[in-house]
Amino acid sequence: MILPKKPSDSSIPWFSIGITAIVLLSLALRFWGLGRFNRLVFDEVYYAIFANNYLTGTSFFNPHPPLSQYIIAIGIWIGSHLPFGQDTVNDLTGSLRSTWSYRWLNALTGSLIPIVVAAVAYQLNRRRSYALIAALFAATDGLFLVESRYALNNIYLVILGLLGQLFFLLALNHHGAKRWLILSGVFFGASAAIKWNGLWFLLGIYIVWAVAWVWQLFRTYFGQKTRTRPIASGRHPLQNLTELNVGHIVLNLVILPVVTYSFLWIPHLLMNPSPGFWESQVKILTFHQNVGSGTDVHPYCSRWYSWLLMWRPVAYFYQTASHTPEAVATDSPLSAGASNVIYDVHAMGNPFLWWLSTTAILLLLLLLTQRILEGVGWKSIPTSYTWITLYLIVNYAANLLPWTKVTRCTFLYHYMGASVFSGLALAWLVDRWLHSEQNQYRSAGVTVILVVVLAFIFWLPIYLGLPLSGSGYHLRMWFRSWI
């Protein structure tokens, strides 16, 4: 049976059913047992405490911009006034708080990321099947699941950066509509107000826009020697990039993000007037420059090139118990000694999703390079295929390559921004295969989806921190570098 090349006209709303199922699954996995491990897990020792400091008016130095801690603080305030989620409490944040209160808003936000990824995919080629596959891959990434279940900040950085990209694509689809460009600039500034590397989502847009103008100028002066080919599938929104001039970019994607970023510091500065705004930026930069690198700083430090193969995941939580019903202690030291049950929360992606996504982005890079070297890409009118390839590669590189110059200790989660675009690349290839008339391509597409889903199920216990036997734990640690 040959799959249709256009979205089905079936009366059954498959797309709506699929997206709804993915969102419900995401919500269930993120909220299930959210109050487990009644302690501060990994960097909750910073972000949950900082968030509580805002609620108690306690002065402190924050080595990151403050937006994620505002959001977590709002979650704590709301969660503390709800009639549920109060079964496990501790005073580790500086006040008596339930674990649910400082985690639930992360869980909700993380559940929405598959929808945003689907929206970005749909704006790229208007194919619902592509959007659905992209959402499925986003929902079955273990690192995003783990990051969503604790009071950490990377989920906010990714979703705000993706929303900036989404609104930019909407602006292109509406020929530079001002409201979408304004929203894009605001969300890019907000992403940078989580961590400075949130700006790399914006960097990707700068590069794509610049390449579009260079491409057009090159074809204007040199392309007339070669017969251009019309685009069979109509005008792609990324072709509208050259409708945006320098003024549009400077106003909406330079000034507006800076204003948004600066504005979001006001609550922090009102509560912590010293150091001031500029001095705070200098202190943040100095802090990260002095962190150092290597295992002497942290046993789970990893270099940027190792992220592509997920060589060094991070153990966020590890605890042993003598039997399954035993409660995991709040603040007892971690022990790797002999025991019957292991509780492990591993911040690692879905291995097969990551490996296949890396392969997909490298394959697209190879194909695009081949077209450019042959002169086809520069001298002809770019096809939708070329524009999508360019967008995915540039944004992937913009979120990965800046890390090559970072000297401080870095972790696997710093790859999350880039991994979104490699996942989109894999989803796009799989969607094309599923719409192919050749059986081997359709079979390959189905196989990739099944492998990704089954791998997610297999490694799910170490994403959720479910009790495992020693053999069950080691069965999932395929490499010594994972432990």
Side-chain angles (χ1 to χ4, degrees):
M1 179 179 178
I2 299 175
L3 293 174
K5 295 186 177 181
K6 296 182 179 180
S8 173
D9 293 327
S10 170
S11 59
I12 301 176
W14 292 114
F15 177 76
S16 299
I17 292 173
I19 286 292
T20 301
I22 289 171
V23 172
L24 291 177
L25 174 66
S26 296
L27 285 166
L29 291 176
R30 283 157 176 80
F31 277 94
W32 176 85
L34 196 61
R36 298 173 77 237
F37 310 131
N38 187 19
R39 57 179 297 167
L40 298 179
V41 173
F42 198 62
D43 279 350
E44 285 186 330
V45 297
Y46 304 114
Y47 303 123
I49 291 176
F50 292 165
N52 189 69
N53 285 346
Y54 285 128
L55 296 176
T56 60
T58 304
S59 298
F60 66 101
F61 168 68
N62 190 345
H64 287 297
L67 180 55
S68 64
Q69 289 86 287
Y70 296 163
I71 299 171
I72 296 170
I74 292 171
I76 292 175
W77 186 86
I78 295 174
S80 298
H81 290 80
L82 295 177
F84 51 85
Q86 311 299 325
D87 50 328
T88 55
V89 297
N90 62 63
D91 60 358
L92 299 176
T93 62
S95 302
L96 192 63
R97 305 291 187 186
S98 69
T99 51
W100 197 89
S101 71
Y102 54 77
R103 293 174 181 168
W104 75 271
L105 198 48
N106 273 63
L108 178 62
T109 303
S111 301
L112 300 177
I113 285 182
I115 300 178
V116 179
V117 170
V120 170
Y122 183 74
Q123 290 301 316
L124 284 175
N125 77 343
R126 296 287 176 172
R127 184 130 72 182
R128 290 185 173 186
S129 55
Y130 174 37
L132 188 62
I133 296 169
L136 176 64
F137 287 171
T140 53
D141 187 287
L143 182 56
F144 279 78
L145 173 57
V146 172
E147 287 279 330
S148 300
R149 288 176 53 84
Y150 301 97
L152 307 172
N153 61 5
N154 296 299
I155 286 297
Y156 300 115
L157 181 148
V158 171
I159 197 168
L160 292 172
L162 285 176
L163 284 169
Q165 293 246 345
L166 173 62
F167 291 130
F168 183 79
L169 291 172
L170 283 167
L172 294 180
N173 272 311
H174 293 84
H175 298 277
K178 290 183 178 180
R179 66 181 183 278
W180 299 122
L181 275 178
I182 291 172
L183 284 172
S184 180
V186 168
F187 278 95
F188 283 134
S191 183
I194 301 293
K195 287 182 178 179
W196 285 351
N197 57 293
L199 283 173
W200 295 342
F201 287 95
L202 179 56
L203 175 62
I205 295 300
Y206 289 159
I207 298 174
V208 170
W209 174 76
V211 169
W213 271 102
V214 170
W215 205 321
Q216 176 169 292
L217 293 172
F218 192 95
R219 286 194 301 107
T220 299
Y221 290 103
F222 302 102
Q224 64 271 21
K225 299 177 182 179
T226 303
R227 175 176 293 182
T228 59
R229 296 181 292 108
I231 301 176
S233 57
R235 187 172 180 87
H236 191 274
L238 291 173
Q239 287 181 274
N240 298 331
L241 281 164
T242 51
E243 294 182 4
L244 301 178
N245 57 37
V246 174
H248 293 123
I249 297 298
V250 170
L251 178 61
N252 296 286
L253 300 183
V254 176
I255 295 175
L256 192 53
V258 170
V259 171
T260 301
Y261 175 84
S262 303
F263 177 79
L264 289 170
W265 272 85
I266 292 176
H268 175 85
L269 294 173
L270 289 175
M271 298 179 64
N272 301 272
S274 180
F277 176 78
W278 288 111
E279 188 180 353
S280 293
Q281 312 310 306
V282 173
K283 290 190 68 173
I284 289 174
L285 178 61
T286 303
F287 172 87
H288 291 286
Q289 288 176 331
N290 294 331
V291 166
S293 62
T295 55
D296 291 339
V297 175
H298 197 285
Y300 289 101
C301 288
S302 58
R303 296 301 302 275
W304 66 273
Y305 48 79
S306 69
W307 304 336
L308 281 69
L309 298 177
M310 203 182 69
W311 187 244
R312 188 60 170 156
V314 185
Y316 278 5
F317 179 88
Y318 182 90
Q319 185 68 65
T320 58
S322 60
H323 58 284
T324 302
E326 180 178 327
V328 179
T330 301
D331 55 2
S332 62
L334 301 186
S335 170
S339 64
N340 295 327
V341 179
I342 295 174
Y343 296 87
D344 175 62
V345 176
H346 238 63
M348 60 182 281
N350 179 329
F352 284 96
L353 174 61
W354 278 43
W355 297 334
L356 290 170
S357 296
T358 297
T359 303
I361 203 74
L362 293 177
L363 177 60
L364 291 184
L365 176 60
L366 177 64
L367 294 175
L368 182 62
T369 302
Q370 181 183 15
R371 286 179 60 84
I372 293 174
L373 292 177
E374 292 174 351
V376 176
W378 288 110
K379 295 184 179 181
S380 63
I381 299 176
T383 63
S384 295
Y385 178 93
T386 304
W387 280 118
I388 295 174
T389 300
L390 178 68
Y391 172 85
L392 295 176
I393 291 173
V394 166
N395 279 285
Y396 176 81
N399 278 272
L400 174 64
L401 295 184
W403 291 108
T404 64
K405 297 298 183 180
V406 175
T407 58
R408 59 150 289 173
C409 172
T410 53
F411 299 94
L412 185 69
Y413 57 71
H414 289 125
Y415 185 68
M416 290 175 66
S419 73
V420 171
F421 296 99
S422 60
L424 282 167
L426 178 62
W428 185 46
L429 291 178
V430 168
D431 180 60
R432 289 175 63 88
W433 293 343
L434 291 176
H435 286 81
S436 171
E437 295 183 358
Q438 299 184 42
N439 288 329
Q440 60 267 33
Y441 284 110
R442 296 202 305 276
S443 298
V446 172
T447 300
V448 168
I449 292 174
L450 288 176
V451 166
V452 168
V453 171
L454 291 175
F456 177 71
I457 295 171
F458 177 74
W459 273 282
L460 188 60
I462 62 172
Y463 302 146
L464 299 179
L466 300 179
L468 287 170
S469 64
S471 60
Y473 168 77
H474 288 288
L475 182 64
R476 290 164 175 83
M477 297 292 108
W478 283 14
F479 306 100
R480 290 185 60 85
S481 62
W482 286 9
I483 299 176

